[in-house]
PDB file of all heavy atoms in Angstrom:
ATOM      1  N   ARG A1449     123.447 271.135  68.196  1.00 93.00           N
ATOM      2  CA  ARG A1449     122.901 270.701  69.496  1.00 93.00           C
ATOM      3  C   ARG A1449     121.580 271.415  69.802  1.00 93.00           C
ATOM      4  O   ARG A1449     120.657 270.814  70.341  1.00 93.00           O
ATOM      5  CB  ARG A1449     123.919 270.956  70.602  1.00 93.00           C
ATOM      6  CG  ARG A1449     125.199 270.128  70.450  1.00 93.00           C
ATOM      7  CD  ARG A1449     126.116 270.309  71.650  1.00 93.00           C
ATOM      8  NE  ARG A1449     127.372 269.576  71.480  1.00 93.00           N
ATOM      9  CZ  ARG A1449     128.490 270.094  71.005  1.00 93.00           C
ATOM     10  NH1 ARG A1449     128.514 271.383  70.657  1.00 93.00           N
ATOM     11  NH2 ARG A1449     129.576 269.371  70.878  1.00 93.00           N
ATOM     12  N   TYR A1450     121.518 272.699  69.459  1.00 93.00           N
ATOM     13  CA  TYR A1450     120.276 273.442  69.665  1.00 93.00           C
ATOM     14  C   TYR A1450     119.167 272.898  68.759  1.00 93.00           C
ATOM     15  O   TYR A1450     118.015 272.757  69.173  1.00 93.00           O
ATOM     16  CB  TYR A1450     120.503 274.924  69.388  1.00 93.00           C
ATOM     17  CG  TYR A1450     119.278 275.783  69.599  1.00 93.00           C
ATOM     18  CD1 TYR A1450     118.931 276.246  70.867  1.00 93.00           C
ATOM     19  CD2 TYR A1450     118.458 276.118  68.530  1.00 93.00           C
ATOM     20  CE1 TYR A1450     117.799 277.020  71.065  1.00 93.00           C
ATOM     21  CE2 TYR A1450     117.328 276.895  68.707  1.00 93.00           C
ATOM     22  CZ  TYR A1450     117.001 277.343  69.983  1.00 93.00           C
ATOM     23  OH  TYR A1450     115.870 278.104  70.165  1.00 93.00           O
ATOM     24  N   PHE A1451     119.525 272.581  67.527  1.00 92.00           N
ATOM     25  CA  PHE A1451     118.555 272.063  66.561  1.00 92.00           C
ATOM     26  C   PHE A1451     117.969 270.737  67.035  1.00 92.00           C
ATOM     27  O   PHE A1451     116.773 270.480  66.854  1.00 92.00           O
ATOM     28  CB  PHE A1451     119.238 271.880  65.203  1.00 92.00           C
ATOM     29  CG  PHE A1451     118.319 271.457  64.099  1.00 92.00           C
ATOM     30  CD1 PHE A1451     117.604 272.393  63.372  1.00 92.00           C
ATOM     31  CD2 PHE A1451     118.176 270.112  63.785  1.00 92.00           C
ATOM     32  CE1 PHE A1451     116.748 271.991  62.347  1.00 92.00           C
ATOM     33  CE2 PHE A1451     117.326 269.700  62.774  1.00 92.00           C
ATOM     34  CZ  PHE A1451     116.603 270.648  62.045  1.00 92.00           C
ATOM     35  N   VAL A1452     118.814 269.916  67.632  1.00 90.00           N
ATOM     36  CA  VAL A1452     118.356 268.611  68.117  1.00 90.00           C
ATOM     37  C   VAL A1452     117.360 268.758  69.258  1.00 90.00           C
ATOM     38  O   VAL A1452     116.371 268.013  69.337  1.00 90.00           O
ATOM     39  CB  VAL A1452     119.562 267.760  68.563  1.00 90.00           C
ATOM     40  CG1 VAL A1452     119.094 266.516  69.313  1.00 90.00           C
ATOM     41  CG2 VAL A1452     120.406 267.361  67.362  1.00 90.00           C
ATOM     42  N   GLY A1453     117.563 269.737  70.130  1.00 86.00           N
ATOM     43  CA  GLY A1453     116.729 269.855  71.322  1.00 86.00           C
ATOM     44  C   GLY A1453     115.570 270.826  71.225  1.00 86.00           C
ATOM     45  O   GLY A1453     114.801 270.941  72.180  1.00 86.00           O
ATOM     46  N   HIS A1454     115.439 271.530  70.115  1.00 87.00           N
ATOM     47  CA  HIS A1454     114.379 272.539  69.999  1.00 87.00           C
ATOM     48  C   HIS A1454     113.694 272.463  68.634  1.00 87.00           C
ATOM     49  O   HIS A1454     114.267 271.948  67.677  1.00 87.00           O
ATOM     50  CB  HIS A1454     114.950 273.952  70.183  1.00 87.00           C
ATOM     51  CG  HIS A1454     115.604 274.172  71.513  1.00 87.00           C
ATOM     52  ND1 HIS A1454     116.878 273.722  71.799  1.00 87.00           N
ATOM     53  CD2 HIS A1454     115.148 274.798  72.646  1.00 87.00           C
ATOM     54  CE1 HIS A1454     117.186 274.067  73.032  1.00 87.00           C
ATOM     55  NE2 HIS A1454     116.162 274.702  73.571  1.00 87.00           N
ATOM     56  N   GLU A1455     112.483 272.996  68.588  1.00 88.00           N
ATOM     57  CA  GLU A1455     111.769 273.119  67.318  1.00 88.00           C
ATOM     58  C   GLU A1455     112.265 274.373  66.611  1.00 88.00           C
ATOM     59  O   GLU A1455     112.144 275.484  67.137  1.00 88.00           O
ATOM     60  CB  GLU A1455     110.261 273.204  67.550  1.00 88.00           C
ATOM     61  CG  GLU A1455     109.635 271.909  68.032  1.00 88.00           C
ATOM     62  CD  GLU A1455     109.724 270.810  66.984  1.00 88.00           C
ATOM     63  OE1 GLU A1455     109.708 271.144  65.782  1.00 88.00           O
ATOM     64  OE2 GLU A1455     109.823 269.637  67.365  1.00 88.00           O
ATOM     65  N   VAL A1456     112.829 274.186  65.451  1.00 88.00           N
ATOM     66  CA  VAL A1456     113.404 275.299  64.686  1.00 88.00           C
ATOM     67  C   VAL A1456     112.810 275.292  63.282  1.00 88.00           C
ATOM     68  O   VAL A1456     112.762 274.243  62.635  1.00 88.00           O
ATOM     69  CB  VAL A1456     114.944 275.174  64.592  1.00 88.00           C
ATOM     70  CG1 VAL A1456     115.532 276.361  63.843  1.00 88.00           C
ATOM     71  CG2 VAL A1456     115.551 275.058  65.979  1.00 88.00           C
ATOM     72  N   SER A1457     112.351 276.453  62.829  1.00 89.00           N
ATOM     73  CA  SER A1457     111.795 276.544  61.478  1.00 89.00           C
ATOM     74  C   SER A1457     112.915 276.508  60.443  1.00 89.00           C
ATOM     75  O   SER A1457     114.089 276.758  60.756  1.00 89.00           O
ATOM     76  CB  SER A1457     110.989 277.832  61.316  1.00 89.00           C
ATOM     77  OG  SER A1457     111.835 278.967  61.381  1.00 89.00           O
ATOM     78  N   PHE A1458     112.535 276.196  59.211  1.00 90.00           N
ATOM     79  CA  PHE A1458     113.522 276.133  58.139  1.00 90.00           C
ATOM     80  C   PHE A1458     114.157 277.498  57.908  1.00 90.00           C
ATOM     81  O   PHE A1458     115.371 277.611  57.716  1.00 90.00           O
ATOM     82  CB  PHE A1458     112.850 275.643  56.854  1.00 90.00           C
ATOM     83  CG  PHE A1458     113.779 275.575  55.679  1.00 90.00           C
ATOM     84  CD1 PHE A1458     114.766 274.596  55.609  1.00 90.00           C
ATOM     85  CD2 PHE A1458     113.671 276.494  54.650  1.00 90.00           C
ATOM     86  CE1 PHE A1458     115.627 274.534  54.513  1.00 90.00           C
ATOM     87  CE2 PHE A1458     114.532 276.435  53.554  1.00 90.00           C
ATOM     88  CZ  PHE A1458     115.510 275.450  53.487  1.00 90.00           C
ATOM     89  N   GLU A1459     113.351 278.542  57.936  1.00 91.00           N
ATOM     90  CA  GLU A1459     113.865 279.893  57.717  1.00 91.00           C
ATOM     91  C   GLU A1459     114.825 280.310  58.822  1.00 91.00           C
ATOM     92  O   GLU A1459     115.871 280.912  58.571  1.00 91.00           O
ATOM     93  CB  GLU A1459     112.713 280.904  57.623  1.00 91.00           C
ATOM     94  CG  GLU A1459     111.833 280.757  56.392  1.00 91.00           C
ATOM     95  CD  GLU A1459     110.895 279.554  56.480  1.00 91.00           C
ATOM     96  OE1 GLU A1459     110.719 279.022  57.602  1.00 91.00           O
ATOM     97  OE2 GLU A1459     110.360 279.156  55.429  1.00 91.00           O
ATOM     98  N   GLU A1460     114.477 279.973  60.062  1.00 93.00           N
ATOM     99  CA  GLU A1460     115.340 280.315  61.190  1.00 93.00           C
ATOM    100  C   GLU A1460     116.665 279.564  61.110  1.00 93.00           C
ATOM    101  O   GLU A1460     117.739 280.138  61.359  1.00 93.00           O
ATOM    102  CB  GLU A1460     114.633 279.972  62.505  1.00 93.00           C
ATOM    103  CG  GLU A1460     115.440 280.318  63.749  1.00 93.00           C
ATOM    104  CD  GLU A1460     114.747 279.901  65.022  1.00 93.00           C
ATOM    105  OE1 GLU A1460     113.581 279.449  64.948  1.00 93.00           O
ATOM    106  OE2 GLU A1460     115.365 280.013  66.106  1.00 93.00           O
ATOM    107  N   ALA A1461     116.606 278.291  60.755  1.00 92.00           N
ATOM    108  CA  ALA A1461     117.826 277.487  60.678  1.00 92.00           C
ATOM    109  C   ALA A1461     118.751 277.986  59.573  1.00 92.00           C
ATOM    110  O   ALA A1461     119.961 278.135  59.777  1.00 92.00           O
ATOM    111  CB  ALA A1461     117.468 276.021  60.438  1.00 92.00           C
ATOM    112  N   THR A1462     118.196 278.246  58.390  1.00 92.00           N
ATOM    113  CA  THR A1462     119.028 278.707  57.280  1.00 92.00           C
ATOM    114  C   THR A1462     119.602 280.095  57.552  1.00 92.00           C
ATOM    115  O   THR A1462     120.748 280.374  57.192  1.00 92.00           O
ATOM    116  CB  THR A1462     118.223 278.729  55.974  1.00 92.00           C
ATOM    117  OG1 THR A1462     117.016 279.483  56.158  1.00 92.00           O
ATOM    118  CG2 THR A1462     117.873 277.321  55.537  1.00 92.00           C
ATOM    119  N   ALA A1463     118.806 280.951  58.195  1.00 93.00           N
ATOM    120  CA  ALA A1463     119.307 282.287  58.519  1.00 93.00           C
ATOM    121  C   ALA A1463     120.466 282.201  59.509  1.00 93.00           C
ATOM    122  O   ALA A1463     121.464 282.920  59.377  1.00 93.00           O
ATOM    123  CB  ALA A1463     118.178 283.148  59.089  1.00 93.00           C
ATOM    124  N   ARG A1464     120.342 281.321  60.500  1.00 94.00           N
ATOM    125  CA  ARG A1464     121.408 281.162  61.487  1.00 94.00           C
ATOM    126  C   ARG A1464     122.674 280.607  60.840  1.00 94.00           C
ATOM    127  O   ARG A1464     123.790 281.056  61.130  1.00 94.00           O
ATOM    128  CB  ARG A1464     120.935 280.235  62.608  1.00 94.00           C
ATOM    129  CG  ARG A1464     121.989 279.949  63.671  1.00 94.00           C
ATOM    130  CD  ARG A1464     122.545 281.219  64.277  1.00 94.00           C
ATOM    131  NE  ARG A1464     123.608 280.962  65.230  1.00 94.00           N
ATOM    132  CZ  ARG A1464     124.565 281.816  65.528  1.00 94.00           C
ATOM    133  NH1 ARG A1464     124.613 283.002  64.912  1.00 94.00           N
ATOM    134  NH2 ARG A1464     125.490 281.517  66.424  1.00 94.00           N
ATOM    135  N   LEU A1465     122.529 279.644  59.953  1.00 92.00           N
ATOM    136  CA  LEU A1465     123.690 279.072  59.277  1.00 92.00           C
ATOM    137  C   LEU A1465     124.350 280.088  58.344  1.00 92.00           C
ATOM    138  O   LEU A1465     125.581 280.102  58.199  1.00 92.00           O
ATOM    139  CB  LEU A1465     123.279 277.824  58.497  1.00 92.00           C
ATOM    140  CG  LEU A1465     122.920 276.606  59.354  1.00 92.00           C
ATOM    141  CD1 LEU A1465     122.346 275.486  58.498  1.00 92.00           C
ATOM    142  CD2 LEU A1465     124.140 276.107  60.125  1.00 92.00           C
ATOM    143  N   ASP A1466     123.542 280.941  57.725  1.00 92.00           N
ATOM    144  CA  ASP A1466     124.114 281.995  56.886  1.00 92.00           C
ATOM    145  C   ASP A1466     124.936 282.971  57.733  1.00 92.00           C
ATOM    146  O   ASP A1466     125.983 283.461  57.298  1.00 92.00           O
ATOM    147  CB  ASP A1466     123.012 282.748  56.146  1.00 92.00           C
ATOM    148  CG  ASP A1466     122.393 281.925  55.028  1.00 92.00           C
ATOM    149  OD1 ASP A1466     123.045 280.948  54.587  1.00 92.00           O
ATOM    150  OD2 ASP A1466     121.265 282.239  54.605  1.00 92.00           O
ATOM    151  N   GLU A1467     124.454 283.269  58.932  1.00 93.00           N
ATOM    152  CA  GLU A1467     125.214 284.136  59.839  1.00 93.00           C
ATOM    153  C   GLU A1467     126.529 283.480  60.245  1.00 93.00           C
ATOM    154  O   GLU A1467     127.577 284.135  60.284  1.00 93.00           O
ATOM    155  CB  GLU A1467     124.378 284.441  61.092  1.00 93.00           C
ATOM    156  CG  GLU A1467     123.158 285.309  60.838  1.00 93.00           C
ATOM    157  CD  GLU A1467     122.339 285.492  62.100  1.00 93.00           C
ATOM    158  OE1 GLU A1467     122.736 284.954  63.163  1.00 93.00           O
ATOM    159  OE2 GLU A1467     121.287 286.166  62.044  1.00 93.00           O
ATOM    160  N   ILE A1468     126.473 282.193  60.537  1.00 92.00           N
ATOM    161  CA  ILE A1468     127.678 281.479  60.953  1.00 92.00           C
ATOM    162  C   ILE A1468     128.704 281.450  59.825  1.00 92.00           C
ATOM    163  O   ILE A1468     129.914 281.544  60.064  1.00 92.00           O
ATOM    164  CB  ILE A1468     127.321 280.047  61.402  1.00 92.00           C
ATOM    165  CG1 ILE A1468     126.472 280.087  62.667  1.00 92.00           C
ATOM    166  CG2 ILE A1468     128.578 279.211  61.621  1.00 92.00           C
ATOM    167  CD1 ILE A1468     125.974 278.725  63.112  1.00 92.00           C
ATOM    168  N   SER A1469     128.245 281.326  58.580  1.00 88.00           N
ATOM    169  CA  SER A1469     129.162 281.189  57.453  1.00 88.00           C
ATOM    170  C   SER A1469     130.033 282.423  57.248  1.00 88.00           C
ATOM    171  O   SER A1469     131.087 282.338  56.595  1.00 88.00           O
ATOM    172  CB  SER A1469     128.377 280.902  56.167  1.00 88.00           C
ATOM    173  OG  SER A1469     127.583 282.018  55.792  1.00 88.00           O
ATOM    174  N   VAL A1470     129.616 283.566  57.785  1.00 85.00           N
ATOM    175  CA  VAL A1470     130.409 284.795  57.627  1.00 85.00           C
ATOM    176  C   VAL A1470     130.904 285.317  58.976  1.00 85.00           C
ATOM    177  O   VAL A1470     131.459 286.414  59.042  1.00 85.00           O
ATOM    178  CB  VAL A1470     129.592 285.891  56.902  1.00 85.00           C
ATOM    179  CG1 VAL A1470     129.257 285.465  55.484  1.00 85.00           C
ATOM    180  CG2 VAL A1470     128.309 286.222  57.672  1.00 85.00           C
ATOM    181  N   ALA A1471     130.701 284.532  60.034  1.00 85.00           N
ATOM    182  CA  ALA A1471     131.115 284.980  61.362  1.00 85.00           C
ATOM    183  C   ALA A1471     132.630 284.979  61.472  1.00 85.00           C
ATOM    184  O   ALA A1471     133.321 284.170  60.870  1.00 85.00           O
ATOM    185  CB  ALA A1471     130.515 284.075  62.437  1.00 85.00           C
ATOM    186  N   SER A1472     133.148 285.905  62.257  1.00 77.00           N
ATOM    187  CA  SER A1472     134.591 285.989  62.494  1.00 77.00           C
ATOM    188  C   SER A1472     134.820 286.310  63.958  1.00 77.00           C
ATOM    189  O   SER A1472     134.185 287.203  64.518  1.00 77.00           O
ATOM    190  CB  SER A1472     135.230 287.065  61.616  1.00 77.00           C
ATOM    191  OG  SER A1472     136.609 287.174  61.865  1.00 77.00           O
ATOM    192  N   SER A1473     135.737 285.574  64.573  1.00 72.00           N
ATOM    193  CA  SER A1473     135.962 285.747  66.005  1.00 72.00           C
ATOM    194  C   SER A1473     136.972 286.838  66.320  1.00 72.00           C
ATOM    195  O   SER A1473     136.950 287.417  67.398  1.00 72.00           O
ATOM    196  CB  SER A1473     136.439 284.426  66.615  1.00 72.00           C
ATOM    197  OG  SER A1473     137.609 283.974  65.942  1.00 72.00           O
ATOM    198  N   TYR A1474     137.876 287.123  65.402  1.00 77.00           N
ATOM    199  CA  TYR A1474     138.940 288.086  65.666  1.00 77.00           C
ATOM    200  C   TYR A1474     139.058 289.089  64.525  1.00 77.00           C
ATOM    201  O   TYR A1474     138.772 288.775  63.364  1.00 77.00           O
ATOM    202  CB  TYR A1474     140.285 287.381  65.853  1.00 77.00           C
ATOM    203  CG  TYR A1474     140.318 286.418  67.010  1.00 77.00           C
ATOM    204  CD1 TYR A1474     140.261 285.047  66.793  1.00 77.00           C
ATOM    205  CD2 TYR A1474     140.389 286.880  68.321  1.00 77.00           C
ATOM    206  CE1 TYR A1474     140.284 284.156  67.861  1.00 77.00           C
ATOM    207  CE2 TYR A1474     140.410 286.002  69.382  1.00 77.00           C
ATOM    208  CZ  TYR A1474     140.360 284.642  69.145  1.00 77.00           C
ATOM    209  OH  TYR A1474     140.372 283.776  70.208  1.00 77.00           O
ATOM    210  N   HIS A1475     139.505 290.276  64.873  1.00 81.00           N
ATOM    211  CA  HIS A1475     139.765 291.301  63.870  1.00 81.00           C
ATOM    212  C   HIS A1475     140.971 290.889  63.031  1.00 81.00           C
ATOM    213  O   HIS A1475     141.896 290.242  63.528  1.00 81.00           O
ATOM    214  CB  HIS A1475     140.032 292.640  64.578  1.00 81.00           C
ATOM    215  CG  HIS A1475     140.067 293.813  63.644  1.00 81.00           C
ATOM    216  ND1 HIS A1475     141.205 294.174  62.946  1.00 81.00           N
ATOM    217  CD2 HIS A1475     139.106 294.699  63.292  1.00 81.00           C
ATOM    218  CE1 HIS A1475     140.952 295.232  62.211  1.00 81.00           C
ATOM    219  NE2 HIS A1475     139.672 295.566  62.404  1.00 81.00           N
ATOM    220  N   PRO A1476     140.975 291.237  61.736  1.00 83.00           N
ATOM    221  CA  PRO A1476     142.119 290.878  60.886  1.00 83.00           C
ATOM    222  C   PRO A1476     143.467 291.317  61.436  1.00 83.00           C
ATOM    223  O   PRO A1476     144.472 290.603  61.282  1.00 83.00           O
ATOM    224  CB  PRO A1476     141.800 291.597  59.566  1.00 83.00           C
ATOM    225  CG  PRO A1476     140.311 291.654  59.533  1.00 83.00           C
ATOM    226  CD  PRO A1476     139.882 291.844  60.954  1.00 83.00           C
ATOM    227  N   MET A1477     143.516 292.458  62.102  1.00 88.00           N
ATOM    228  CA  MET A1477     144.784 292.920  62.668  1.00 88.00           C
ATOM    229  C   MET A1477     145.270 291.981  63.765  1.00 88.00           C
ATOM    230  O   MET A1477     146.471 291.702  63.878  1.00 88.00           O
ATOM    231  CB  MET A1477     144.623 294.332  63.220  1.00 88.00           C
ATOM    232  CG  MET A1477     144.311 295.391  62.170  1.00 88.00           C
ATOM    233  SD  MET A1477     145.736 295.772  61.125  1.00 88.00           S
ATOM    234  CE  MET A1477     146.730 296.709  62.270  1.00 88.00           C
ATOM    235  N   VAL A1478     144.333 291.483  64.573  1.00 87.00           N
ATOM    236  CA  VAL A1478     144.693 290.559  65.649  1.00 87.00           C
ATOM    237  C   VAL A1478     145.187 289.243  65.065  1.00 87.00           C
ATOM    238  O   VAL A1478     146.183 288.668  65.528  1.00 87.00           O
ATOM    239  CB  VAL A1478     143.487 290.330  66.579  1.00 87.00           C
ATOM    240  CG1 VAL A1478     143.825 289.294  67.654  1.00 87.00           C
ATOM    241  CG2 VAL A1478     143.064 291.643  67.224  1.00 87.00           C
ATOM    242  N   MET A1479     144.502 288.741  64.036  1.00 85.00           N
ATOM    243  CA  MET A1479     144.904 287.490  63.414  1.00 85.00           C
ATOM    244  C   MET A1479     146.261 287.627  62.738  1.00 85.00           C
ATOM    245  O   MET A1479     147.095 286.708  62.785  1.00 85.00           O
ATOM    246  CB  MET A1479     143.849 287.052  62.402  1.00 85.00           C
ATOM    247  CG  MET A1479     142.495 286.763  63.025  1.00 85.00           C
ATOM    248  SD  MET A1479     141.239 286.252  61.838  1.00 85.00           S
ATOM    249  CE  MET A1479     141.846 284.640  61.366  1.00 85.00           C
ATOM    250  N   ALA A1480     146.510 288.781  62.113  1.00 88.00           N
ATOM    251  CA  ALA A1480     147.802 289.013  61.477  1.00 88.00           C
ATOM    252  C   ALA A1480     148.913 289.070  62.523  1.00 88.00           C
ATOM    253  O   ALA A1480     150.011 288.526  62.320  1.00 88.00           O
ATOM    254  CB  ALA A1480     147.764 290.303  60.663  1.00 88.00           C
ATOM    255  N   ALA A1481     148.628 289.717  63.648  1.00 90.00           N
ATOM    256  CA  ALA A1481     149.621 289.799  64.723  1.00 90.00           C
ATOM    257  C   ALA A1481     149.913 288.414  65.300  1.00 90.00           C
ATOM    258  O   ALA A1481     151.067 288.071  65.587  1.00 90.00           O
ATOM    259  CB  ALA A1481     149.134 290.739  65.823  1.00 90.00           C
ATOM    260  N   GLY A1482     148.881 287.597  65.466  1.00 87.00           N
ATOM    261  CA  GLY A1482     149.082 286.247  65.968  1.00 87.00           C
ATOM    262  C   GLY A1482     149.937 285.405  65.032  1.00 87.00           C
ATOM    263  O   GLY A1482     150.834 284.678  65.460  1.00 87.00           O
ATOM    264  N   GLY A1483     149.662 285.523  63.716  1.00 87.00           N
ATOM    265  CA  GLY A1483     150.471 284.804  62.739  1.00 87.00           C
ATOM    266  C   GLY A1483     151.910 285.268  62.733  1.00 87.00           C
ATOM    267  O   GLY A1483     152.842 284.459  62.580  1.00 87.00           O
ATOM    268  N   ALA A1484     152.113 286.569  62.927  1.00 90.00           N
ATOM    269  CA  ALA A1484     153.468 287.123  62.942  1.00 90.00           C
ATOM    270  C   ALA A1484     154.249 286.651  64.168  1.00 90.00           C
ATOM    271  O   ALA A1484     155.446 286.355  64.078  1.00 90.00           O
ATOM    272  CB  ALA A1484     153.396 288.645  62.911  1.00 90.00           C
ATOM    273  N   VAL A1485     153.572 286.576  65.309  1.00 91.00           N
ATOM    274  CA  VAL A1485     154.241 286.091  66.520  1.00 91.00           C
ATOM    275  C   VAL A1485     154.647 284.626  66.353  1.00 91.00           C
ATOM    276  O   VAL A1485     155.765 284.226  66.711  1.00 91.00           O
ATOM    277  CB  VAL A1485     153.323 286.262  67.748  1.00 91.00           C
ATOM    278  CG1 VAL A1485     153.906 285.546  68.964  1.00 91.00           C
ATOM    279  CG2 VAL A1485     153.128 287.744  68.059  1.00 91.00           C
ATOM    280  N   GLY A1486     153.746 283.818  65.805  1.00 89.00           N
ATOM    281  CA  GLY A1486     154.078 282.416  65.565  1.00 89.00           C
ATOM    282  C   GLY A1486     155.231 282.258  64.594  1.00 89.00           C
ATOM    283  O   GLY A1486     156.112 281.405  64.784  1.00 89.00           O
ATOM    284  N   SER A1487     155.261 283.082  63.561  1.00 89.00           N
ATOM    285  CA  SER A1487     156.353 283.032  62.587  1.00 89.00           C
ATOM    286  C   SER A1487     157.681 283.407  63.233  1.00 89.00           C
ATOM    287  O   SER A1487     158.720 282.797  62.953  1.00 89.00           O
ATOM    288  CB  SER A1487     156.052 283.975  61.418  1.00 89.00           C
ATOM    289  OG  SER A1487     154.924 283.551  60.697  1.00 89.00           O
ATOM    290  N   SER A1488     157.652 284.409  64.088  1.00 90.00           N
ATOM    291  CA  SER A1488     158.877 284.844  64.758  1.00 90.00           C
ATOM    292  C   SER A1488     159.418 283.751  65.672  1.00 90.00           C
ATOM    293  O   SER A1488     160.635 283.526  65.734  1.00 90.00           O
ATOM    294  CB  SER A1488     158.604 286.119  65.566  1.00 90.00           C
ATOM    295  OG  SER A1488     158.131 287.155  64.717  1.00 90.00           O
TER     296      SER A1488
END
């Protein structure tokens, strides 16, 4: 959506996508705890 509405350079776009590809919203311990609660 940002790309559609703004002028973005190729380097900026690829750098942002590279950041997104390794982004994580939760710590592994939190994700493990969530999976364990669902399993229980």
Side-chain angles (χ1 to χ4, degrees):
R1449 296 186 183 95
Y1450 181 83
F1451 185 86
V1452 169
H1454 300 79
E1455 290 295 329
V1456 182
S1457 67
F1458 179 72
E1459 292 75 16
E1460 181 183 354
T1462 53
R1464 178 55 184 154
L1465 289 172
D1466 288 340
E1467 292 176 1
I1468 294 175
S1469 67
V1470 296
S1472 178
S1473 56
Y1474 299 104
H1475 190 276
M1477 295 288 287
V1478 176
M1479 297 180 69
V1485 170
S1487 295
S1488 301

